[in-house]
Amino acid sequence: MKKMLSLLLALSMCFSLLVIPANAAESAAISVTSDAETLNAGDTVTVSVSLDSNPGMAFWQVKPLYNASVFEVVEIVKDGDLSPTIGTSAAWAYAANSTYTGAILKVTFKVKDDAAIGAYELGVALVEAYDEKLNDVAINITNPTVTVVPKEIPVTDIVLDQTALALNVNETATLTATVSPDDASFKT
């Protein structure tokens, strides 16, 4: 019995040492939407970034999230009522907490000419965020996936091996067609 009481006392002392912050900041949420889901080499795509929930932040910074071997950033521009500082990332800074929600940013990407075919996450990533008391604020970000597909190459010419053909009733002949260019997407 004494051992059991000692164990319970030791456990309660351990739990009392755990610090649970009373003012733990709520998390914010950012959603990102894309104006295209399927892309070819050379295409551009713009993602719109919105702050959907905001518990109050004095500073937050995001940067473009993309595969640099597939995409390049064309531009980052303000969207909505807030004015961020924009360079290779975008940052918003205030003396007091802002609880603004709504559109905040647009990022335009270009698919590189030698881009590998596949599905890629495209959007923004959090650099840092905190409130007016310098407490970190977590931001949950939902980015879309876009798919790079082979570029379709149209047929530009079809040439038959014969320019004229005379047939009698019930006779058949075979014509051979040459489709240009050789790498056309749909030759049949």
Side-chain angles (χ1 to χ4, degrees):
M1 183 67 155
K2 287 182 183 180
K3 288 183 180 182
M4 181 64 89
L5 286 174
S6 296
L7 179 61
L8 288 174
L9 182 59
L11 285 173
S12 66
M13 287 176 60
C14 288
F15 284 120
S16 69
L17 295 175
L18 293 175
V19 177
I20 300 173
N23 64 343
E26 297 175 47
S27 62
I30 288 178
S31 63
V32 182
T33 57
S34 171
D35 67 358
E37 294 178 7
T38 305
L39 304 165
N40 299 116
D43 287 351
T44 59
V45 58
T46 299
V47 296
S48 299
V49 183
S50 293
L51 186 55
D52 297 328
S53 66
N54 181 354
M57 295 184 288
F59 178 86
W60 67 97
Q61 181 179 12
V62 296
K63 64 182 180 180
L65 174 72
Y66 62 102
N67 182 320
S69 67
V70 177
F71 299 96
E72 60 189 45
V73 176
V74 175
E75 70 177 346
I76 304 172
V77 296
K78 150 190 160 34
D79 188 21
D81 296 332
L82 302 181
S83 294
T85 301
I86 297 176
T88 57
S89 65
W92 295 260
Y94 302 95
N97 284 344
S98 166
T99 56
Y100 172 85
T101 57
I104 58 173
L105 198 64
K106 287 189 183 240
V107 183
T108 301
F109 299 91
K110 181 180 179 197
V111 182
K112 292 184 175 181
D113 290 335
D114 60 349
I117 293 160
Y120 300 95
E121 184 178 8
L122 198 60
V124 296
L126 177 64
V127 175
E128 63 180 320
Y130 50 84
D131 64 17
E132 63 190 1
K133 295 180 181 176
L134 303 180
N135 296 313
D136 287 342
V137 176
I139 299 181
N140 301 315
I141 300 175
T142 305
N143 288 310
T145 298
V146 297
T147 303
V148 176
V149 297
K151 194 168 193 167
E152 289 184 14
I153 301 170
V155 172
T156 58
D157 195 22
I158 301 174
V159 177
L160 297 175
D161 63 342
Q162 297 180 42
T163 57
L165 179 64
L167 294 174
N168 293 323
V169 175
N170 294 328
E171 284 186 322
T172 62
T174 301
L175 297 174
T176 302
T178 303
V179 177
S180 296
D182 288 338
D183 59 350
S185 299
F186 303 103
K187 291 178 130 184
T188 57

